[in-house]
Amino acid sequence: MSRPESLSPLFRSLHSIKGVGDKLAALLTRFFGAPEGQDAIALDILMHMPSGVVDRRRQVGIAEAYLNQIVTLRLHVDRHQPPPRGKPHVPHRVFAHDDTGDIQLVFFRAWGGWVEKALPLGEERFVSGQIGFFNGEKQITHPDYVVEPDKFATLPLVEPVYPLTQGLSSKALGKLVRQVVDSVPELPEWIGPETLAKNKWPSFVEAMRSVHLPEQPAEAELWGPARMRLAYDEYFAGQLTLQLVRSTMTAAQGIARVFTGEITERVTHALPFSLTEGQQQAVTEIRADLASPDRMSRLLQGDVGSGKTVVALMAMAAVAEGGAQSTLMAPTEILATQHFKTLKPLCDMAGLGCELLTGKMPAAERRAILGRIASGETTIVVGTHALFQSGVEFHNLGLTVVDEQHRFGVHQRLALSDKGRHTDLLVMTATPIPRTLVLTHFGDMAVSVLREKPRGRQPIDTAVLSIGDYGRVISRLQARLAEGAQAFWVCPLVEESEHLDVVAAEDRFAELQKVFGYQVALVHGRMSAAAKQEVMQRFSANELKLLVATTVIEVGVDVPNASIMIIEHAERFGLAQLHQLRGRVGRGSVRSGLPAALQGATQRNRQSPPRHHQIHRRRLRNCRARHGTARPGRCAGHQTIRHARLSACGGRCSPPPHRLCP
C-alpha cells in the first residue's frame, strides 16, 4: 500500500530542507537514530518534544531587571571595550543604557568583529538574556538574542528548549523546527469528535504549533491539551502499526508442521546440561504452535542468561524435522557471532547445517554461504540485518527467530518474515515486560516466560558506591583478580567530552594500566571489528583480567569467568542498558558482583533511587505477579538483593557488603 500524497511533507528528508547541509544532515540522522541507509525525516523533528520553555516575555527597564531573571531589554549602544592585546581571557564588554539605567553586555572570545556588527555604536537593539552582577554592575553574559527593532517579531518570547547532542546548537535546531512546523499539512482528523471535545484537544496542526511555537508557556506544558493530544496520536499510531504487523503475520495460513523427534533428540543428547522446567514448558508450547495450522507468533521472555537461545535451538530443530529452514536474527554482529558459536557445535553433533551471515563478510565467502542457503544445504542461518537484504534467498524458510526484538524496526521484521511462505515467528527479549504491557503490545501474540536460571547459575550481588571509594574498589579488585577472577569496567563515553563531567573509557584505561599493566585492555565501538574481536578473544581466553569498555559489551559477550562488573557513572545509563550490562556477569558457577560507582550524590540522585534498585524492584513485582506472592521482598526462587544506601557524604555498602567492598 502506497503512502497518501498528503503525508509526503511529514516523511521528506531533512537533508532536502534549505540550510541543512551534508554535515548537519549526517548529525541529525545519527541523533534521531534513522534506519541504516536512510536520512532523518521531518516527522523526527516534529516528534522531538521540548523538555521545557524559556520565557522571554518580561520586557522591563534595566532598573526593574533583577538578578538571575531572563529579560528582554531595548538598549541604546554607548561604547565597546575590546580586550587588550595579548589578553584573550579578558572579555569584550559593550556598555549600553535605557531610560532607567545602565548595563554591560559581556562576550568571551569574541573575535572577528562580529560583536561590533551586531551592536553598532549609537543604535538600538533588543537584547534577551539572563541578568547577572559583576563588581556591583548589572550585566548579561553572552546574550541569547540580539535583534534589530524592525526584526523584533523574529525573537521567540516563549522559546522551547530541546534535548541536544554535541555539534547541534539550540538555535540551529530551533530554526529547523520552525521550517518543518510551517510545512505541516492539514490532515483529516482521525480522533473522534467526542474525544476531542471531551479533552478539549486541538487539531494535529494546531497541537504541533502550540508545542513547538508556543505563544504562552502553558501551551507547551507536558500535561497541556497539545502535548496530551500528540501523546494520544503517538500511542494510537503505535497500536495501529502493531495491528498491521499482527494482521500481516497471521493473515496467511500457517503450516501444521510434522515432527519425527529424531533431530530434537540428537540436539537434546548434545546439550551438556538438562533443560530447566521453564525451558521444557516453553519448548512444549512452541511445538504445539508449530503443529497447529495457524501461523505461530510467540514472544519468549526471559532474563539475561535464562537459556532463551537453547529454547530457540529446540524450536529450529523441530522445524528442521519437517524439512524447513530457520533463521536467527540478532541486532549486532557481536551478538550474532556469540549465538553462532553457541549453536554451531550443537548443530554439528545433531547433523544440522549452521551458517553465520553478516554484512562484513568477504564476497567469496558470502557467495558460498548464500548458495548453501538457497539450495537448502544450510538448515539454520544466524545473522544480523544482512539476513533481510534482497540478495538472500531461502530454499524453504519455516521459522524466523528475532533476538532482542525491541532493537529492530517493524519493516525489518516484516522483511525477514517475507523471505518464506507461511513463516512462523518467535521473538525473544531479555527486557522484563510487565504483564499489562505484554497484553497491550502483544495482545494476540502468545507469551512464554522463562522464570528460572539454568542450574549452577549464581545470583548477582549489587551495590552502590560513591566515586570517592575509587581507591577501595581498586584495592579489592586487585585482590579478586589475584584470586583468578575477571572483571568488566564500563564507562559511558569513549573519550573525554568538554560538555560532560564524566570519566571516559580511554582516560580510565590509562589510569588502570598504571595499576594492572598488561592485564587490562580497552574495547569500544570506534575500534574496527577485527580489533574488537581480538581483544574479546584474549579476554575470553583469560589472557586479560580486566576489560575497560563502553556499552559495546551490552549484548553478545559470554565470558563465564567474568564475575565482577563496575559501571562508572551508572546514573548516565538507561534502565534497559543496566539490565543488559548486568547480564554479562553471573554466567558461571562463581557468585558475581555488580558495584555501580556513581559520580557523588547529586540532587537528582537524592530525589530518585539508583536504577539498579529499580531493576530489582521490577523483578520482584514481576515475580509476585506471576507467583501470587504478596509479601514484599520475597518471591519463589529469588534472593533479595542487598540494597546499598547512598548518602550525601559518600556511598557505603550496607549491610552486609559485597566481597569487592572492604
Side-chain angles (χ1 to χ4, degrees):
M1 181 184 296
S2 61
R3 180 185 300 126
E5 185 63 30
S6 60
L7 296 179
S8 295
L10 301 179
F11 290 88
R12 66 169 174 159
S13 167
L14 294 180
H15 202 176
S16 67
I17 296 177
K18 183 180 179 181
V20 180
D22 294 341
K23 185 177 180 180
L24 180 56
L27 177 63
L28 293 169
T29 296
R30 291 195 303 272
F31 183 44
F32 291 121
E36 187 174 355
Q38 299 182 28
D39 293 333
I41 59 175
L43 197 58
D44 292 324
I45 285 284
L46 293 174
M47 299 311 294
H48 186 59
M49 294 292 142
S51 57
V53 295
V54 176
D55 189 353
R56 304 185 186 281
R57 295 176 301 165
R58 183 171 172 78
Q59 300 178 55
V60 295
I62 294 174
E64 299 175 24
Y66 304 120
L67 180 65
N68 294 328
Q69 281 186 339
I70 294 177
V71 297
T72 300
L73 307 174
R74 183 164 186 161
L75 303 177
H76 183 277
V77 180
D78 297 326
R79 65 185 177 93
H80 286 261
Q81 181 180 298
R85 289 182 177 274
K87 295 185 176 181
H89 61 281
V90 176
H92 183 123
R93 294 185 179 273
V94 181
F95 295 85
H97 76 275
D98 66 6
D99 294 338
T100 67
D102 299 317
I103 195 169
Q104 296 179 24
L105 308 179
V106 182
F107 300 87
F108 287 89
R109 298 182 180 275
W111 303 316
W114 64 268
V115 175
E116 290 86 345
K117 294 178 182 178
L119 294 157
L121 286 176
E123 295 193 18
E124 288 190 343
R125 291 291 185 268
F126 280 98
V127 177
S128 184
Q130 188 175 33
I131 295 294
F133 271 87
F134 181 75
N135 287 338
E137 299 288 337
K138 290 182 181 179
Q139 67 178 27
I140 298 178
T141 303
H142 286 279
D144 299 323
Y145 290 92
V146 177
V147 299
E148 300 171 18
D150 59 345
K151 296 180 180 178
F152 178 73
T154 64
L155 196 158
L157 295 180
V158 179
E159 182 182 22
V161 178
Y162 295 92
L164 301 171
T165 187
Q166 185 173 0
L168 180 62
S169 69
S170 58
K171 288 188 178 181
L173 182 60
K175 180 180 178 181
L176 184 57
V177 166
R178 286 190 291 274
Q179 289 180 269
V180 172
V181 171
D182 288 339
S183 69
V184 175
E186 289 287 349
L187 301 173
E189 186 58 72
W190 67 347
I191 300 177
E194 302 85 2
T195 304
L196 289 174
K198 177 183 177 182
N199 296 286
K200 300 180 179 179
W201 286 346
S203 68
F204 178 79
V205 176
E206 292 170 345
M208 281 296 177
R209 293 196 69 85
S210 294
V211 169
H212 292 294
L213 305 175
E215 296 180 359
Q216 304 287 334
E219 293 181 9
E221 285 183 351
L222 183 61
W223 302 111
R227 287 291 290 268
M228 292 297 288
R229 188 253 151 80
L230 294 176
Y232 184 92
D233 283 328
E234 187 174 7
Y235 192 77
F236 190 23
Q239 288 298 297
L240 289 176
T241 303
L242 286 170
Q243 190 58 46
L244 288 172
V245 174
R246 293 166 186 157
S247 62
T248 303
M249 299 302 297
T250 59
Q253 184 72 13
I255 296 177
R257 304 193 184 277
V258 179
F259 313 119
T260 64
E262 296 179 6
I263 298 179
T264 52
E265 185 176 353
R266 292 202 297 267
V267 172
T268 302
H269 287 312
L271 293 174
F273 51 81
S274 299
L275 298 180
T276 65
E277 291 184 8
Q279 288 173 317
Q280 292 174 0
Q281 178 64 30
V283 170
T284 300
E285 293 168 350
I286 292 170
R287 288 174 66 94
D289 285 352
L290 294 173
S292 168
D294 298 324
R295 196 175 187 183
M296 182 179 78
S297 184
R298 180 170 288 273
L299 171 70
L300 179 61
Q301 179 185 343
D303 201 357
V304 177
S306 60
K308 297 185 296 297
T309 306
V310 173
V311 173
L313 174 59
M314 298 301 292
M316 292 187 286
V319 171
E321 292 175 353
Q325 296 167 292
S326 299
T327 182
L328 194 162
M329 183 167 70
T332 67
E333 188 170 332
I334 291 179
L335 182 54
T337 303
Q338 185 62 56
H339 280 317
F340 178 70
K341 289 180 178 179
T342 301
L343 297 177
K344 178 63 174 174
L346 299 173
C347 289
D348 288 345
M349 287 187 279
L352 290 171
C354 183
E355 299 277 7
L356 173 67
L357 182 66
T358 66
K360 298 180 180 179
M361 284 185 159
E365 182 181 358
R366 179 182 173 83
R367 284 195 298 269
I369 293 174
L370 290 177
R372 290 192 289 270
I373 295 173
S375 67
E377 180 182 348
T378 296
T379 307
I380 296 175
V381 186
V382 182
T384 58
H385 62 278
L387 289 172
F388 56 78
Q389 293 175 350
S390 58
V392 182
E393 298 294 337
F394 290 85
H395 178 70
N396 179 19
L397 181 61
L399 175 63
T400 297
V401 181
V402 182
D403 194 14
E404 298 298 336
Q405 56 84 28
H406 63 283
R407 289 172 169 238
F408 290 98
V410 170
H411 65 286
Q412 292 172 319
R413 279 175 271 171
L414 289 178
L416 184 55
S417 294
D418 287 343
K419 292 288 184 180
R421 296 178 62 252
H422 314 295
T423 306
D424 293 301
L425 174 67
L426 176 66
V427 298
M428 304 191 298
T429 182
T431 304
I433 306 174
R435 181 180 298 175
T436 52
L437 289 183
V438 169
L439 294 175
T440 301
H441 286 286
F442 304 97
D444 59 359
M445 180 177 280
V447 180
S448 297
V449 182
L450 300 181
R451 299 184 173 91
E452 54 190 325
K453 291 290 185 90
R455 294 179 180 87
R457 289 286 176 88
Q458 296 293 322
I460 301 172
D461 294 325
T462 309
V464 178
L465 299 176
S466 166
I467 199 68
D469 290 313
Y470 175 79
R472 298 170 59 214
V473 170
I474 292 296
S475 176
R476 290 301 300 160
L477 187 58
Q478 286 178 296
R480 291 297 308 278
L481 298 188
E483 295 172 2
Q486 288 177 277
F488 297 100
W489 193 300
V490 182
C491 298
L493 299 177
V494 175
E495 60 186 16
E496 185 180 3
S497 169
E498 295 180 359
H499 306 283
L500 297 175
D501 186 21
V502 297
V503 178
E506 291 179 344
D507 295 333
R508 182 57 70 209
F509 170 67
E511 288 297 317
L512 293 174
Q513 255 192 330
K514 299 175 183 177
V515 180
F516 298 97
Y518 67 90
Q519 292 183 312
V520 61
L522 173 67
V523 64
H524 54 74
R526 296 183 185 177
M527 297 168 60
S528 67
K532 285 187 289 187
Q533 193 69 24
E534 180 187 0
V535 173
M536 293 309 305
Q537 286 177 350
R538 292 181 60 202
F539 189 65
S540 299
N542 206 4
E543 296 176 11
L544 300 169
K545 292 296 184 181
L546 179 60
L547 186 63
V548 181
T550 58
T551 52
V552 69
I553 64 162
E554 184 180 343
V555 293
V557 176
D558 187 5
V559 183
N561 191 53
S563 57
I564 300 167
M565 175 173 285
I566 299 167
I567 303 177
E568 195 160 3
H569 298 290
E571 73 278 6
R572 301 204 62 85
F573 293 90
L575 192 58
Q577 282 182 312
L578 289 177
H579 186 83
Q580 289 288 347
L581 288 170
R582 190 172 179 269
R584 298 311 105 204
V585 294
R587 291 174 168 261
S589 59
V590 178
R591 195 178 184 96
S592 297
L594 182 92
L598 299 182
Q599 180 65 41
T602 64
Q603 184 65 29
R604 176 182 175 185
N605 294 336
R606 296 189 194 105
Q607 292 174 348
S608 59
R611 289 195 175 107
H612 86 274
H613 292 190
Q614 299 176 34
I615 292 175
H616 180 56
R617 282 200 296 271
R618 182 164 58 179
R619 290 178 61 221
L620 294 179
R621 284 199 302 270
N622 291 346
C623 196
R624 287 199 295 272
R626 292 194 295 263
H627 296 286
T629 56
R631 185 179 176 187
R634 295 285 182 180
C635 57
H638 289 269
Q639 175 182 347
T640 302
I641 292 180
R642 298 178 298 229
H643 285 218
R645 289 179 293 201
L646 183 67
S647 64
C649 60
R652 294 292 185 269
C653 297
S654 71
H658 177 260
R659 282 189 64 199
L660 190 62
C661 309

